[in-house]
């Protein structure tokens, strides 16, 4: 097991999530809880996972006016999860207030830059953002850092540049991970666990490459093996 790989628990309810963990002997692995499971089960799902010794990334991607986000974070901070996130597009004031809401605990604040399901054409043609996807991600990371975030969610391909601008200690959490020979699904900016490690990613989020595999336990072990057997080539300080 490694503390660096978060399994995305994208299940409709606790029974299915627990059944998956139990059947595949994934007790105690770090997990990411997203909107689907959290909206269904509420705060109780976090308590259950904590009782079972899982590290938790609560992926609710808050994006609202600064005061609302601060108050929501104050409520969520009592859960004492390891990481929680907001959208960097909410702006500096919102990120600062989110951090304020978390002030009393040790929960790390992570800002989502550009979702890994998005590609350049969505940015330029639909959202009319003129900058390249890479520049947009790096600028949002810089904004997040200056506003007090501890790290960002980005794709593996952006990690190196983010670390150059924001420093090695600024955390990068990377979804869009695919094991060799698995489906891309709706993700666009994808990479393998090994490539993620090489480029300096701090944490991986892996969902369907494991959950939709014929042998999830084996897929999880493969991801851990790839991660642990690869050395990081990042050269920034
Ligand atoms: O199944 P897959 O490995 O694509 O799952 C990725 C998980 O990471 C999903 O739960 C998704 O919501 C989440 N995520 C993401 N991109 C982000 C932030 C979170 O894919 N920028």
């Amino acid at each position: 097991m490694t503390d660096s790989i978060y399994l995305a628990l994208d299940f409709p309810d606790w029974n299915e999530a627990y059944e998956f963990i139990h059947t595949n002997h994934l007790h105690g692995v770090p997990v990411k809880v997203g909107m689907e499971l959290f909206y269904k089960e509420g705060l109780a799902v976090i308590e259950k996972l904590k009782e079972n010794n899982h590290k938790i990334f609560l992926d609710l991607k808050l994006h609202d006016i600064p005061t609302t986000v601060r108050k929501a974070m104050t409520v969520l901070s009592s859960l004492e999860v390891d990481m929680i996130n907001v959208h960097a597009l909410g702006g500096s004031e919102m990120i600062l207030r989110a951090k304020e809401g978390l002030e009393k605990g040790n929960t790390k604040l992570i800002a989502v830059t550009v979702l890994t399901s998005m590609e350049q054409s969505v940015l330029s043609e639909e959202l009319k953002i003129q900058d390249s996807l890479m520049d947009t991600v790096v600028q949002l990371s810089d904004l997040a850092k200056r506003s007090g975030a501890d790290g960002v969610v980005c794709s593996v391909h952006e990690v190196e540049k983010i670390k150059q601008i924001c420093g090695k200690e600024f955390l990068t959490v990377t979804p869009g991970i695919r094991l060799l020979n698995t489906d891309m699904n709706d993700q666009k900016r994808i990479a393998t666990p090994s490539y993620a490690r090489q480029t300096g990613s701090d944490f991986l989020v892996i969902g369907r490459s494991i959950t939709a595999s014929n042998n999830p336990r084996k897929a999880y072990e493969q991801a851990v093996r790839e991660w642990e057997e690869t050395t990081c080539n990042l050269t920034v300080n």
Side-chain angles (χ1 to χ4, degrees), residues 8-10 32 34 57 59 61 85 112-117 153-154 175-178 184-187 205-209 211:
L9 280 185
D10 293 326
K32 183 187 80 76
F57 171 22
D59 177 26
K61 302 187 180 73
N85 59 2
V112 177
T113 54
V114 176
L115 296 169
T116 42
S117 53
V153 182
C154 61
I177 302 295
R178 292 291 174 270
M184 274 174 69
N185 307 109
D186 55 353
Q187 299 282 22
V205 171
I206 312 184
R208 288 163 290 184
S209 266
T211 55

Side-chain angles (χ1 to χ4, degrees), residues 6-68:
Y6 280 79
L7 172 67
L9 280 185
D10 293 326
F11 292 99
D13 58 34
W14 169 248
N15 284 344
E16 274 200 40
Y18 185 73
E19 168 82 15
F20 180 83
I21 291 169
H22 187 65
T23 314
N24 295 294
H25 309 286
L26 292 166
H27 303 277
V29 304
V31 291
K32 183 187 80 76
V33 175
M35 296 179 204
E36 185 186 14
L37 187 57
F38 192 77
Y39 289 161
K40 172 72 180 171
E41 302 288 353
L43 306 180
V45 73
I46 304 297
E47 299 301 341
K48 286 179 189 148
L49 287 164
K50 286 181 78 172
E51 276 164 26
N52 291 332
N53 300 317
H54 293 272
K55 283 182 69 184
I56 300 165
F57 171 22
L58 185 52
D59 177 26
L60 298 181
K61 302 187 180 73
L62 272 63
H63 190 172
D64 208 321
I65 60 168
T67 307
T68 302

